[in-house]
Amino acid sequence: MDESSVDVDSTVLPQVGLADPAGQVGLADPAGWSGAAAAAGLLVLAGCGGGSSDAPTSGSPATPGAPTTPAAPPSTRDAARLLSQASFGPRSADEVEALRQTGYDSWLEQQFNAPTFGHVAYLEQERSREADNKVREEMSYEAIWQQWLFGEDPLRARMSWALLQIFVISNIAPDIRAHAMSSYLDMLNRNAFGNYRQLLEDVTLHPAMGYYLNMAESEKEDPKKGTHPNENYAREVLQLFSIGLTKLNPDGSAQFDANGQLAASYDEAVVRGYAQAFSGWSFGGSDNTVAKNFHRYDPDNEALWQTPMQPWSQYHDSGAKTLLDGRALPANQTPERDLKDALDSIFNHPNVGPFIGRQLIQRFVTSNPSAAYIGRVSAVFANNGRGVRGDLRAVLRAILLDAEARGDDATTRARYGKQREPVLRFAQFLRALGAKSANGRNAIHYLDSSDDALGQSPLLAPSVFNFYAPGYRPAGPLAAAGMVAPEFQITNETTVVGSLNFFSQLFRRGAYGSGDTKLVLDYAPLAALADGDGSTLIDRLDLLFFDRQMSASTRARLGTMLGAMPASSADKKLQRVRAALTLVAMSPDHVIQK
C-alpha cells in the first residue's frame, strides 16, 4: 500500500513510529508498525486476507455454572473496561470513579430502569423542519446517534445495536420508510431487557421485517398458479435469528451425526413448514375480512409502518406443517395459532441459548469466548434462576459480570479481545470529547463509504447477513489458531486508510458536520492537562480510550511525540491534544478492546 495515500496531517501528527510487540497468537498488537504504515498495520493483525467459516468449534459440552460477580469496589481499570463493554466508553474520570463507588450491580440496575429514547418520537419532533412536514430517512439515522450520544440509556442502546446486527433490517436499497426503521428501533429498545420469546414475535410481526424479508403478503400455495409461501423469512429466522445451521451443545460446540458429519439443525422440509406456518399475514390496520385488502395498502401511510402485521385466514395455508425436530402442526389451525406454535418451537430449541449467547458475548466482550463462558450464559438463557427461559436482562448481566469478562489481566489473556467496531469508536470519541451542536441535533447519516468514512453505518448493512459474520476467520495466524474476528470482515486496506483519514480530519477540524448541527468537540479538559512532559494528558487518554491498558510502547511514542511539541501557549497545547488523539485513533491497543 502506498503510504502517501494516508492523509494524516503532519502538522498535527509528527513522524513518530507506532511499533507494538506481538504477543501470543490472538487479538494482540502486531509488530513492526511505524509511521504511516500503521494504516496497514491493522490488517497485519488479521493476517491481511480473507476467508471465513461459520461452523462452530467442536468439543465436549461444558458444565454450566453461575457467572462470577466481582467484588466491589472494582479497580479503575476494570470499571473503565465495563464502560467500554456496556456503553460507549468512559466520558470522564469522574464517571469511572462513580462506577467504582456504586458497583456494577447498582449501575446495571440504573441502566435497566433508565428512561428510553424514542426513535419515532424523534421523527415527529423533527418533521416540522421540512417544508412539506414529511419525515426523511436521514432522520432515522440521526435518531440512532441521538440515543448513542445524548441518551440516558447507553446500555439499552448497545443492546439494541447488538440485536439489530442479529435481527437485521437494512435500508441499503434504499426502500424502507423512516417510520418503519424508527419504529423497529423502538421495538428493539423495548425488548432489549425483556424476553427473547416476545422479541422473536415482535420482530416477526413488525412491518419493517415483513417488508424486508417478504413475510408480508406471503400467500398459501396455489397449484394452479404454481406459487407457494415465500420462504425468505422462514429461512432467515432459523439460520440467523435463532438456532443456526448446526446442532449445538450448551457450550456452543457442534454436534455430529452417526457418520461423523456436522449435525444439521433442520432441512428444506422444515423451512417449507415454517413458511407455510407464517403464510397469510400482511400489513396491519386494514379490514382483514376483505380478501382484496391483503395486497392493498398505502406505503405512504405512516401508521402502517408502526402497526404489527395482521392475519388474513383466506391466504393462510391450512394444511399440516413440518417443524423442527420432527414436530408437526395439525391441519386447520388459525394463522395466529400456527404462528404461536411455530415461534414456540423455535424459542424452545436447545440451540437458541448458545447461538444467541455467543453472538451477544462477541458484541460486548470478546470474539472468541471459551466454551465454559458460552455454557454459563446459555444456562442463564435456559433458566434465569427463577424458572424463566429467555430472560435477556439476566443474559446480559451474566455476560458482563462473568469472570471472563471482568478482571485486570485482560491484556495477558490468550485468545481474548475484539476489534472495536468503527461506529462505536466514533461514538466513543464524540462522547468522551463532549461533542455538542448549536441546536442539540446531529447530522450523522451515511458512514458506509470505505474511502472517506468508516465502512459501517447503522441501518445500512449490506445484507441480512449484517456487516460481518460471527464466524468470520481472516486468513493467517488467527485462522490457523482456530479463532474468529468478525469485525475484520470490513477491515481492509481501503477501510483502514479511510477511517484514519476520517479520524484525522475529525480531530484537525475539532468538529463533525456543519451549520447548526455541527458537533463541536470540547478539547478544554484535555488541553488543561497538556503542559509539561505530557504524562498527565497521556494518563487521561489511557483511561478514556484504552481502559487503563495502554501498552508501554504506545505510551512511549505518545511521550516522544508530545516531548517534541512545545506547550508554550494555549494554541500549542491544542496542537498537542489533536496530535495525541490522532495517534490514539490509529493505535492497535485502542482499536482492539480487551
Side-chain angles (χ1 to χ4, degrees):
M1 181 176 61
D2 180 5
E3 293 182 8
S4 65
S5 65
V6 182
D7 183 28
V8 177
D9 190 343
S10 60
T11 65
V12 173
L13 181 65
Q15 291 299 309
V16 177
L18 187 63
D20 278 294
Q24 60 228 335
V25 174
L27 295 177
D29 303 328
W33 294 31
S34 59
L42 292 178
L43 303 176
V44 175
L45 185 63
C48 301
S52 66
S53 171
D54 286 318
T57 58
S58 60
S60 301
T63 302
T68 301
T69 302
S75 68
T76 298
R77 171 183 288 182
D78 198 48
R81 290 182 64 239
L82 184 127
L83 289 172
S84 285
Q85 293 165 346
S87 67
F88 299 90
R91 287 177 295 183
S92 67
D94 289 343
E95 184 178 30
V96 177
E97 182 59 24
L99 175 57
R100 286 190 67 246
Q101 295 303 319
T102 60
Y104 297 157
D105 283 320
S106 294
W107 186 85
L108 288 173
E109 284 304 311
Q110 183 273 326
Q111 285 296 301
F112 289 146
N113 294 287
T116 304
F117 179 87
H119 289 251
V120 169
Y122 180 81
L123 298 185
E124 298 306 324
Q125 170 189 304
E126 295 302 317
R127 67 162 65 244
S128 61
R129 78 192 199 207
E130 300 293 331
D132 59 6
N133 203 43
K134 292 184 179 180
V135 301
R136 300 290 190 268
E137 66 185 78
E138 288 81 7
M139 296 178 186
S140 290
Y141 309 144
E142 294 167 14
I144 290 178
W145 287 93
Q146 288 293 115
Q147 182 179 17
W148 288 13
L149 300 182
F150 310 119
E152 299 178 60
D153 54 348
L155 179 60
R156 188 184 299 272
R158 283 294 305 274
M159 184 61 163
S160 65
W161 172 235
L163 294 175
L164 182 60
Q165 295 190 75
I166 298 173
F167 301 90
V168 175
I169 64 166
S170 174
N171 197 35
I172 197 67
D175 57 358
I176 300 182
R177 303 304 171 102
H179 275 88
M181 292 187 285
S182 291
S183 64
Y184 192 81
L185 265 295
D186 279 339
M187 180 271 295
L188 293 182
N189 271 339
R190 186 170 64 248
N191 286 286
F193 307 140
N195 192 281
Y196 175 87
R197 174 59 180 82
Q198 186 63 54
L199 170 66
L200 186 62
E201 181 169 329
D202 287 355
V203 166
T204 300
L205 294 181
H206 197 282
M209 182 60 75
Y211 177 81
Y212 184 59
L213 290 184
N214 313 116
M215 181 177 150
E217 301 182 82
S218 175
E219 297 184 29
K220 64 185 177 182
E221 183 177 2
D222 186 336
K224 291 182 179 180
K225 295 181 180 179
T227 60
H228 56 79
N230 192 291
E231 297 178 359
N232 203 8
Y233 183 72
R235 192 176 305 278
E236 308 308 354
V237 74
L238 295 173
Q239 179 179 347
L240 302 177
F241 302 170
S242 61
I243 67 173
L245 297 172
T246 304
K247 289 185 177 180
L248 303 174
N249 294 308
D251 66 356
S253 59
Q255 294 184 17
F256 294 86
D257 61 24
N259 297 317
Q261 302 298 312
L262 288 171
S265 300
Y266 56 89
D267 57 19
E268 287 300 310
V270 170
V271 174
R272 287 193 297 272
Y274 280 94
Q276 292 162 353
F278 295 149
S279 65
W281 292 80
S282 192
F283 296 102
S286 298
D287 183 353
N288 60 356
T289 65
V290 178
K292 63 183 180 181
N293 287 343
F294 187 75
H295 293 297
R296 177 183 292 177
Y297 61 92
D298 178 8
D300 292 327
N301 178 5
E302 295 172 350
L304 178 88
W305 301 107
Q306 303 173 66
T307 305
M309 293 193 296
Q310 64 187 31
W312 270 257
S313 58
Q314 309 96 309
Y315 290 96
H316 179 65
D317 191 308
S318 61
K321 292 102 178 166
T322 299
L323 302 185
L324 289 165
D325 297 329
R327 181 177 178 184
L329 294 182
N332 299 316
Q333 292 199 142
T334 65
E336 296 94 330
R337 180 57 187 269
D338 270 356
L339 182 111
K340 177 184 182 302
D341 289 349
L343 295 182
D344 283 346
S345 70
I346 295 173
F347 173 61
N348 288 302
H349 193 280
N351 268 28
V352 180
F355 184 79
I356 296 297
R358 173 180 180 248
Q359 291 188 67
L360 291 178
I361 294 171
Q362 288 182 318
R363 298 280 63 79
F364 287 95
V365 179
T366 183
S367 295
N368 295 274
S370 72
Y373 189 2
I374 296 172
R376 290 190 292 269
V377 171
S378 178
V380 173
F381 183 94
N383 184 342
N384 68 353
R386 299 182 298 277
V388 176
R389 178 177 175 81
D391 181 351
L392 294 177
R393 178 182 299 202
V395 167
L396 186 52
R397 180 188 292 273
I399 288 170
L400 294 172
L401 299 186
D402 191 89
E404 290 190 33
R406 306 270 50 85
D408 288 343
D409 62 343
T411 58
T412 66
R413 298 176 191 170
R415 306 174 66 88
Y416 194 80
K418 65 184 296 292
Q419 184 188 152
R420 299 179 201 261
E421 297 173 61
V423 293
L424 296 186
R425 286 157 53 202
F426 184 33
Q428 181 177 16
F429 281 118
L430 292 179
R431 284 167 56 92
L433 298 174
K436 293 181 181 178
S437 67
N439 63 10
R441 294 194 289 107
N442 74 87
I444 305 175
H445 300 144
Y446 304 102
L447 301 175
D448 50 322
S449 170
S450 298
D451 296 321
D452 56 5
L454 299 176
Q456 184 187 32
S457 200
L459 286 171
L460 292 172
S463 75
V464 71
F465 293 94
N466 193 30
F467 302 97
Y468 34 71
Y472 177 76
R473 288 193 175 110
L478 294 181
M483 298 172 64
V484 302
E487 294 83 0
F488 280 100
Q489 195 166 357
I490 57 170
T491 305
N492 53 50
E493 289 90 343
T494 301
T495 60
V496 169
V497 173
S499 65
L500 290 184
N501 288 338
F502 179 89
F503 285 117
S504 175
Q505 183 182 49
L506 173 69
F507 300 135
R508 185 167 59 244
R509 294 184 60 224
Y512 180 86
S514 61
D516 288 344
T517 59
K518 180 168 69 173
L519 292 165
V520 179
L521 308 182
D522 182 5
Y523 286 145
L526 293 181
L529 307 175
D531 53 4
D533 63 1
S535 59
T536 306
L537 173 61
I538 294 171
D539 285 342
R540 183 57 52 85
L541 296 174
D542 186 10
L543 177 67
L544 296 178
F545 304 112
F546 298 82
D547 304 329
R548 279 282 180 91
Q549 298 175 110
M550 184 187 291
S551 67
S553 53
T554 297
R555 179 176 290 274
R557 279 153 183 77
L558 277 166
T560 300
M561 181 187 71
L562 294 176
M565 302 178 70
S568 53
S569 66
D571 184 62
K572 297 296 185 182
K573 290 179 182 180
L574 281 177
Q575 288 186 23
R576 277 184 149 199
V577 170
R578 288 194 290 266
L581 287 168
T582 304
L583 197 151
V584 165
M586 68 173 64
S587 297
D589 39 346
H590 161 68
V591 175
I592 302 301
Q593 173 186 302
K594 287 281 194 173

